[in-house]
Amino acid sequence: MMRTPRPSRQSSQERQAGLIQAATTLFAKKGFNGTTTKEIARAAGISEALVFKHFPTKRALYAAILAEKVTVSELLSAIEESAKKRDDRRVFTLIASYRIRPGVDPTLLRLLLFSALEGHELSDMFFGKHHKVFYDHLAAYIQTRIEDGAFRRIDPLLAARAFIGMVVHHRLLHEIFGVPIDRPYEDTVSTYVDVFLNGLVATPPPGRTRKVRARI
Amino acid sequence: MMRTPRPSRQSSQERQAGLIQAATTLFAKKGFNGTTTKEIARAAGISEALVFKHFPTKRALYAAILAEKVTVSELLSAIEESAKKRDDRRVFTLIASYRIRPGVDPTLLRLLLFSALEGHELSDMFFGKHHKVFYDHLAAYIQTRIEDGAFRRIDPLLAARAFIGMVVHHRLLHEIFGVPIDRPYEDTVSTYVDVFLNGLVATPPPGRTRKVRARI
DNA sequence: TTCTGGTGAGTAAGTGATTACTTACCAGAA
DNA sequence: TTCTGGTAAGTAATCACTTACTCACCAGAA
């Protein structure tokens, strides 16, 4: 009879990191209620008891995951730089690409949705760190451009939400609802940015209902 | 000692309807895994055993909910009508309003997200009936308007997704993430439609990167 | 009118499996 | 020898689901 093979003895920190890693994957795939501590232990290659040596409860482990820091500082500084040059296309493309580009793993998005739906206490904070940053940055930029006279007078926060909405929705369709995406992602991003910027730039205000050559 | 008060004896159909109603609310609030059959029974005012007289398993009850028909035919015919008149604003406003207007209950949206995240078998069908309809209708209309020469040449499906994305994202922020919405919904819809239509109408094609008066 | 047997709505009280979490213990490096 | 990383084997609670029953009602036969 084979016993469980001797597990490599690791430092507390290493274990904790591996544990969080394994748990993140599972929570993202099946949600908090859909994931058992036994599963998590097996995925991390340890006994269930050890899970509770590291985290007092399952919720505490979940909370630790949501509370983990993320750094998007490189992206934000890139945006800042393009913003100084008033390179609208690039500012919008940077934000859109960050969310659409392939290879960006769906874990965080799923985790975010699950935590919000399941009503976890820390989901607000999670949302703030992963998403609100982008709205605020983009809204601030749009505000600036309105003051420049380059964009139409529009609620900047609403506009930022609208643009990010297009992009996030695209991801949602693809990764959560399994809608196949056939065209290369650069095309998609470019199209979104085109339409949105075109709709945003200051032009002679269009008539309320502009009907164009109805041919019936 | 009070016994449980005699429950009003109902017909099988009435019970089933009430059961589905109660279960829908709970599944939408806490997801499939987060809802227990005991809770459902209590919410429906019956014993747990009776739940299983109506549905063989908890999953079957869930499936029955997802499979329930929905009719959005009035909306679709209203859209059809405006489409014939080439009333762009109204077509887009109709679709947007349908999803943003207050009082539309968040149950369906939550149910949809939960079912997709939890990977339920019927979630595809659910998505198809509640959402895909809109993309397809809007995409078809956009296609028509492109052929009219009224809209820019653009992938109609992508454009439809983009617009609906803005709107759905708005709901998502509000109802799932609890972002407060301060302005009246008509304003929001109107702004979205404005920006999007403005970005869509055929104009002298803009230069690839149109930089506008950078003043630094 | 009054028995009577069938039927369908309803439940109390389980069933074993699974859940999150504990206890009591061990092996080895310092 | 004393921590530290580790586990096997629990525990009470809860889960989805069953079993074995009651009760109300109704259609006829007596």
Side-chain angles (χ1 to χ4, degrees):
Chain A
M1 282 274 274
M2 287 253 296
R3 294 261 132 194
T4 317
R6 180 89 18 92
S8 59
R9 193 184 158 99
Q10 292 185 4
S11 79
S12 193
Q13 291 184 2
E14 285 172 318
R15 270 284 175 249
Q16 190 146 328
L19 190 50
I20 285 186
Q21 168 61 38
T24 300
T25 306
L26 284 169
F27 282 138
K29 197 189 299 181
K30 322 210 278 176
F32 181 79
N33 288 317
T35 305
T36 70
T37 50
K38 190 187 251 172
E39 274 179 309
I40 294 171
R42 230 192 59 227
I46 55 176
S47 72
E48 208 180 339
L50 193 50
V51 173
F52 290 93
K53 289 266 160 85
H54 286 278
F55 299 94
T57 64
K58 182 187 169 189
R59 288 201 89 79
L61 168 56
Y62 191 63
I65 290 171
L66 293 194
E68 258 201 340
K69 320 193 198 334
V70 252
T71 348
V72 284
S73 56
E74 326 158 16
L75 175 72
L76 290 183
S77 68
I79 291 174
E80 213 63 38
E81 197 180 330
S82 305
K84 266 194 200 122
K85 295 185 202 153
R86 300 299 197 263
D87 188 342
D88 298 333
R89 264 199 88 80
R90 187 152 166 74
V91 170
F92 280 79
T93 303
L94 275 172
I95 287 191
S97 299
Y98 179 73
R99 312 200 141 271
I100 288 196
R101 77 180 184 286
V104 73
D105 96 290
T107 303
L108 282 187
L109 179 60
R110 295 185 58 95
L111 219 46
L112 180 80
L113 283 171
F114 258 129
S115 72
L117 279 172
E118 289 177 332
H120 201 276
E121 313 149 11
L122 284 132
S123 85
D124 281 355
M125 198 205 49
F126 195 62
F127 172 73
K129 280 201 303 200
H130 282 83
H131 281 72
K132 202 162 170 305
V133 212
F134 296 101
Y135 299 116
D136 294 346
H137 262 76
L138 190 55
Y141 180 70
I142 291 173
Q143 174 67 42
T144 312
R145 293 301 278 154
I146 291 174
E147 285 162 15
D148 286 350
F151 285 176
R152 313 163 47 192
R153 303 217 150 270
I154 189 180
D155 181 338
L157 194 54
L158 207 60
R161 272 186 206 149
F163 179 72
I164 291 183
M166 298 193 325
V167 178
V168 169
H169 190 73
H170 184 87
R171 269 192 80 194
L172 217 72
L173 283 182
H174 180 42
E175 281 166 10
I176 310 290
F177 294 102
V179 174
I181 306 292
D182 34 5
R183 45 161 71 219
Y185 90 99
E186 294 93 344
D187 277 15
T188 307
V189 170
S190 159
T191 304
Y192 283 168
V193 173
D194 263 352
V195 169
F196 201 78
L197 277 184
N198 198 44
L200 220 54
V201 289
T203 47
R208 295 229 14 121
T209 302
R210 87 151 83 186
K211 297 188 189 168
V212 195
R213 288 200 292 131
R215 72 162 175 215
I216 310 187
Chain B
M1 278 263 276
M2 288 257 294
R3 294 260 133 193
T4 317
R6 183 86 19 90
S8 60
R9 189 187 160 97
Q10 292 185 1
S11 79
S12 193
Q13 290 185 1
E14 284 173 318
R15 270 284 174 249
Q16 190 146 327
L19 191 49
I20 286 187
Q21 169 60 38
T24 300
T25 306
L26 285 169
F27 282 139
K29 197 190 299 181
K30 324 211 278 178
F32 181 80
N33 288 317
T35 305
T36 70
T37 49
K38 190 188 253 172
E39 274 178 309
I40 295 171
R42 229 191 58 228
I46 54 176
S47 72
E48 208 180 342
L50 193 52
V51 173
F52 290 94
K53 290 262 160 84
H54 285 278
F55 298 94
T57 64
K58 183 186 170 190
R59 287 202 90 78
L61 168 56
Y62 191 63
I65 289 172
L66 294 195
E68 260 199 340
K69 321 194 198 335
V70 251
T71 347
V72 284
S73 57
E74 327 157 15
L75 175 72
L76 290 183
S77 67
I79 291 175
E80 211 65 37
E81 197 181 329
S82 305
K84 267 197 198 120
K85 296 186 201 151
R86 300 300 196 262
D87 189 342
D88 297 335
R89 264 198 89 79
R90 186 152 167 75
V91 169
F92 279 79
T93 303
L94 276 172
I95 288 191
S97 300
Y98 180 73
R99 313 200 140 272
I100 289 195
R101 77 178 185 287
V104 74
D105 103 281
T107 304
L108 283 186
L109 179 61
R110 295 184 60 95
L111 219 45
L112 180 80
L113 283 172
F114 258 129
S115 73
L117 280 172
E118 288 177 333
H120 202 275
E121 314 149 11
L122 284 130
S123 85
D124 280 356
M125 198 204 50
F126 196 62
F127 172 73
K129 280 201 303 199
H130 282 82
H131 282 70
K132 202 161 170 304
V133 212
F134 296 102
Y135 299 116
D136 294 347
H137 262 75
L138 190 54
Y141 181 70
I142 292 173
Q143 173 67 41
T144 312
R145 295 300 279 153
I146 291 173
E147 285 162 14
D148 286 349
F151 285 176
R152 312 162 50 190
R153 304 217 149 270
I154 188 179
D155 181 336
L157 194 54
L158 206 62
R161 272 186 205 147
F163 179 71
I164 291 183
M166 298 193 323
V167 178
V168 169
H169 190 72
H170 185 87
R171 269 192 80 192
L172 218 71
L173 284 182
H174 181 42
E175 281 167 9
I176 310 291
F177 294 102
V179 173
I181 305 294
D182 33 5
R183 47 161 68 221
Y185 90 101
E186 293 94 344
D187 278 15
T188 308
V189 170
S190 158
T191 304
Y192 283 169
V193 173
D194 263 352
V195 169
F196 201 78
L197 277 184
N198 199 44
L200 220 53
V201 289
T203 45
R208 296 243 357 131
T209 303
R210 85 151 83 184
K211 296 188 189 166
V212 194
R213 291 199 290 131
R215 70 162 177 217
I216 308 184

